[in-house]
Amino acid sequence: MAEASSTLDNTTIHIFAVTIQQKTRRVLRSVNLRINDNQKRVSWEHTAQDAFKATFTPPLVISTSDNLNLELRSSFAQIGTSYISEKEKLVCISADQLLLDHANGGHQQEWKQTLDKAEVTILLSRQTAAARPANTSFSSAESAQLVPTTEDILRICPRFRILLIGKTGVGKSSLINKAFGVDDALVSDSAPGQAEIEKEIASIVNPRFVLHDSRGFEPGETSNFDAVCNFIRSRNGKPALKDRLHAIWICMAIPASGSRILETGVEKLFRLKTNGDLGDVPMISVFTKFDELVDREVMNLEMADNDLNDEEIFNLGRQNANQAFEGECVEPFRTSSNVRIPYKAVSTQQGYETTLADLIQITFENVQLHVSPEAAVSTAIAQKPNSTVKIEGCIT
């Protein structure tokens, strides 16, 4: 029971009050609160010209996978019923950031930060999923075997560090956005074909995640291939776990039937990985735009003479797409790479959320197996599509 109580710490936050104060000459006019994308009905008290406060009874409860989003509307002055220079901005606070900043749970604490010129004060307490009775003491042997709490683990590895390799147009930006709940500007920061692999790309929306981006490999071009290999080896040699790579995603759009499945550079990279030249960091092949393969198979069914309705056509089309993926992509992939590299076909389109959840599961399991349990916990916290992985990360 000692292991369960220590590793299930910090699973929820209870919020008792939120105060927003504008730290500029602008006057705060209104505040809206959302948990992730869900609008909350909140009664805000205008305590001062530039401050709003909301009190929650019972407290507002959020989990480690949630984001607290505050939509602030402000202006300089009011003339009649109109405001001068009205402006809206979004302040995002991740729940796991609150958990890390406040390691001691149970009693109420004050969390205060200035974000985008708005001072946010939150009265909160951390609630544990399981707790040992207060009058129960640990034996010395039991204390030595205690598993670190989430905060201890995050101090060792505060962010999930991933390298993304793939040509412009394969869908890297949308993949990262959906997998880690960040915005569209994250990967598009570099000009097409000129990603700077050493640059750390981060997002204030998800502080548990850092990305390195690399363009794909062009035929006959070696400089980028050498840069990628040197970067992987360099990161593998970092003494601190937080500075090493925890996973590599190689992104490839599912090719048209009969097209070459792997670039020469990717094949060479796989061979180096197989020979042990790139260390233990897990490498995963991500076949993007699976929805386009489904659309192709659905279109074939629609053109055929059959009595299927729309739902039956789509379901059969998706089944046929899975078979086509195995035959057109997986078999050639296994033959050409001659190595067991994990793979997953994904789509960021609506209706394909399970493909992203499966990719996260594969990544989490490989990080846990080949990197470290601490890095696996960071992986679980950083990702968004797979709630099961997030729970597994807390109890690993």
Side-chain angles (χ1 to χ4, degrees):
M1 293 302 294
E3 179 178 351
S5 72
S6 60
T7 55
L8 282 175
D9 263 356
N10 321 317
T11 54
T12 59
I13 300 175
H14 288 209
I15 296 177
F16 300 90
V18 177
T19 303
I20 315 292
Q21 185 168 17
Q22 190 77 10
K23 307 302 287 185
T24 66
R25 293 189 297 114
R26 303 183 69 88
V27 177
L28 192 60
R29 298 297 179 189
S30 64
V31 180
N32 287 322
L33 184 147
R34 291 187 290 114
I35 303 300
N36 302 322
D37 294 326
N38 300 318
Q39 179 80 35
K40 295 295 181 181
R41 298 185 63 180
V42 178
S43 177
W44 292 95
E45 178 186 2
H46 200 175
T47 59
Q49 185 180 28
D50 58 349
F52 279 70
K53 180 178 181 180
T55 304
F56 302 96
T57 306
L60 181 66
V61 180
I62 60 176
S63 69
T64 56
S65 62
D66 291 330
N67 285 326
L68 188 69
N69 298 319
L70 299 166
E71 298 172 342
L72 312 182
R73 186 187 298 269
S74 63
S75 68
F76 282 116
Q78 182 177 4
I79 300 178
T81 58
S82 300
Y83 295 108
I84 297 176
S85 186
E86 194 168 17
K87 180 181 178 181
E88 291 184 3
K89 65 182 176 183
L90 179 66
V91 175
C92 301
I93 304 167
S94 65
D96 55 80
Q97 181 180 355
L98 297 175
L99 291 173
L100 180 63
D101 292 342
H102 286 275
N104 297 317
H107 59 279
Q108 294 185 14
Q109 306 169 74
E110 185 176 270
W111 181 94
K112 181 184 290 187
Q113 282 195 20
T114 299
L115 304 169
D116 196 11
K117 299 180 181 179
E119 185 182 82
V120 181
T121 305
I122 301 176
L123 185 63
L124 58 88
S125 71
R126 190 191 69 195
Q127 301 298 317
T128 59
R132 178 180 290 261
N135 61 352
T136 304
S137 61
F138 295 103
S139 68
S140 58
E142 189 177 13
S143 298
Q145 295 176 4
L146 285 178
V147 177
T149 65
T150 302
E151 284 82 13
D152 296 328
I153 291 172
L154 290 176
R155 289 188 183 97
I156 298 171
C157 188
R159 298 187 297 177
F160 172 60
R161 186 179 297 273
I162 185 171
L163 169 61
L164 200 66
I165 301 174
K167 291 182 176 179
T168 301
V170 300
K172 291 190 295 181
S173 293
S174 57
L175 174 64
I176 290 299
N177 298 339
K178 293 292 186 179
F180 300 100
V182 294
D183 56 51
D184 287 335
L186 193 66
V187 179
S188 58
D189 187 65
S190 300
Q194 297 180 352
E196 299 176 10
I197 193 170
E198 292 284 353
K199 181 178 179 179
E200 292 187 351
I201 306 175
S203 170
I204 60 172
V205 177
N206 188 346
R208 297 291 169 227
F209 160 78
V210 60
L211 168 74
H212 296 273
D213 185 25
S214 173
R215 67 185 189 270
F217 307 121
E218 299 293 339
E221 184 268 345
T222 60
S223 60
N224 185 54
F225 178 82
D226 293 339
V228 168
C229 293
N230 291 336
F231 175 75
I232 295 172
R233 294 184 182 112
S234 172
R235 284 286 168 175
N236 287 343
K238 297 288 185 182
L241 176 63
K242 66 183 181 64
D243 297 323
R244 300 177 207 150
L245 286 175
H246 305 138
I248 302 171
W249 284 356
I250 300 182
C251 299
M252 302 168 282
I254 293 177
S257 181
S259 300
R260 181 179 175 84
I261 189 67
L262 291 182
E263 304 163 358
T264 302
V266 173
E267 289 186 16
K268 289 171 61 179
L269 201 67
F270 286 165
R271 284 198 293 270
L272 289 176
K273 175 63 178 172
T274 305
N275 295 334
D277 294 334
L278 299 179
D280 294 330
V281 56
M283 187 178 290
I284 299 163
S285 294
V286 184
F287 293 91
T288 61
K289 303 185 179 182
F290 177 64
D291 58 290
E292 295 183 4
L293 183 57
V294 174
D295 290 344
R296 186 193 78 183
E297 295 300 320
V298 167
M299 185 178 297
N300 290 339
L301 289 171
E302 289 175 340
M303 296 174 62
D305 185 15
N306 59 63
D307 297 325
L308 302 176
N309 60 38
D310 289 346
E311 182 179 359
E312 290 170 335
I313 286 177
F314 178 79
N315 291 336
L316 182 56
R318 188 156 182 171
Q319 181 180 331
N320 291 349
N322 285 322
Q323 295 174 353
F325 174 69
E326 288 292 324
E328 298 173 15
C329 297
V330 175
E331 289 305 321
F333 167 70
R334 287 172 176 164
T335 301
S336 58
S337 66
N338 196 29
V339 61
R340 287 191 173 184
I341 297 289
Y343 63 88
K344 181 60 187 177
V346 303
S347 171
T348 58
Q349 298 300 308
Q350 186 175 0
Y352 294 87
E353 290 80 5
T354 56
T355 65
L356 296 175
D358 290 344
L359 172 61
I360 293 299
Q361 184 74 45
I362 293 169
T363 304
F364 172 75
E365 291 173 353
N366 278 272
V367 171
Q368 193 174 42
L369 180 63
H370 299 292
V371 183
S372 75
E374 294 85 358
V377 170
S378 292
T379 307
I381 293 175
Q383 62 83 30
K384 299 301 179 184
N386 195 318
S387 58
T388 301
V389 163
K390 198 170 291 289
I391 293 171
E392 287 181 27
C394 291
I395 64 177
T396 298

